[in-house]
Amino acid sequence: MMGLCSARRHFRGRVAAAVAGSTSRVCAELSSGAVSAATWGGGRKTFRSSSAPLSAAADVPAEANVVVVGGGIIGTSVAYHLAKLGVPEVVLLERDRLTSGTTWHAAGLINTFGSLSATSTSMRCYTKELYSNILPEETGMSCGFMPVGFVELACDDDRLQYYRRVAAFNRLCGVDVAEIAPEEVKERCPVIETGDVLAGFYVDTDGRANPTDATMALA
């Protein structure tokens, strides 16, 4: 039985970008008139902070190739991946604290099942690998990834046929998804009401990450 189970009745997909490479990166956080900046590069990390007003803060670079506005999971991911592509002088600006917008209360679901796009499915698989292995190995920081399993529920015939097509395509893309009976859905996640469930589509290695931890690892 899943210790924590992530389930939903209707598909809502989100993807993350996948890139490769390595270089330095810069992250700056602006909060209440204080500025802090961290720079990664050449195997060295430095951290500087100042309580000076923003107009006088010397820690924020005067120039940058790319300025990313917003220090949530999306902004930090964009800055991280641009840096890994080899883009120098990437600066991230945040008006408050990292994750202080909508990221901190996000669900953090990490699921590879659900798309009929090879690109989207590849990005989903990369995202799971990023949060479960790549970032923890690179940074020594956990992203809070828990492979508790993911099940998509089909509650009518049309949805069942659609998910069967999606499952066949996802298996072709390397996603290990299994169609399970309502009884097994209930066994794996007893809190689910299965009275109207025709089948579930289950990936045992999917799960959830901690959005705040993942953002801090990216930053």
Side-chain angles (χ1 to χ4, degrees), residues 2-214:
M2 292 183 281
L4 292 172
C5 52
S6 52
R8 61 187 179 182
R9 293 172 183 267
H10 302 290
F11 166 65
R12 296 289 186 272
R14 292 189 179 185
V15 299
V19 295
S22 63
T23 188
S24 64
R25 57 194 173 115
V26 177
C27 173
E29 181 180 340
L30 283 63
S31 175
S32 304
V35 179
S36 60
T39 304
W40 289 257
R44 179 172 55 88
K45 177 181 178 181
T46 60
F47 183 83
R48 306 182 307 279
S49 64
S50 171
S51 59
L54 297 184
S55 59
D59 288 348
V60 178
E63 297 181 352
N65 286 321
V66 179
V67 176
V68 180
V69 179
I73 190 69
I74 295 176
T76 53
S77 180
V78 169
Y80 168 84
H81 287 100
L82 285 174
K84 291 199 76 173
L85 279 172
V87 179
E89 299 179 10
V90 177
V91 175
L92 174 70
L93 300 179
E94 165 56 44
R95 66 175 181 81
D96 195 354
R97 300 290 183 184
L98 294 180
T99 75
S100 63
T102 58
T103 294
W104 70 271
H105 59 78
L109 299 183
I110 306 295
N111 64 292
T112 53
F113 173 79
S115 176
L116 286 172
S117 163
T119 301
S120 173
T121 303
S122 176
M123 288 180 175
R124 289 163 179 254
C125 293
Y126 165 76
T127 299
K128 182 166 69 174
E129 180 66 14
L130 177 70
Y131 294 146
S132 62
N133 293 310
I134 296 175
L135 281 174
E137 290 175 2
E138 286 183 353
T139 68
M141 300 173 64
S142 171
C143 295
F145 179 74
M146 297 185 294
V148 295
F150 177 88
V151 60
E152 190 84 67
L153 304 178
C155 298
D156 58 55
D157 288 332
D158 288 342
R159 187 68 61 172
L160 177 61
Q161 295 307 315
Y162 172 73
Y163 283 148
R164 282 175 173 169
R165 291 197 300 272
V166 173
F169 177 75
N170 285 183
R171 293 186 192 105
L172 182 66
C173 295
V175 177
D176 186 15
V177 53
E179 180 177 340
I180 61 177
E183 294 77 15
E184 187 173 352
V185 171
K186 190 71 171 179
E187 178 183 349
R188 291 187 176 278
C189 193
V191 299
I192 297 178
E193 171 55 54
T194 57
D196 61 345
V197 174
L198 299 179
F201 293 82
Y202 176 64
V203 182
D204 63 350
T205 57
D206 284 355
R208 68 175 303 275
N210 183 309
T212 298
D213 290 346

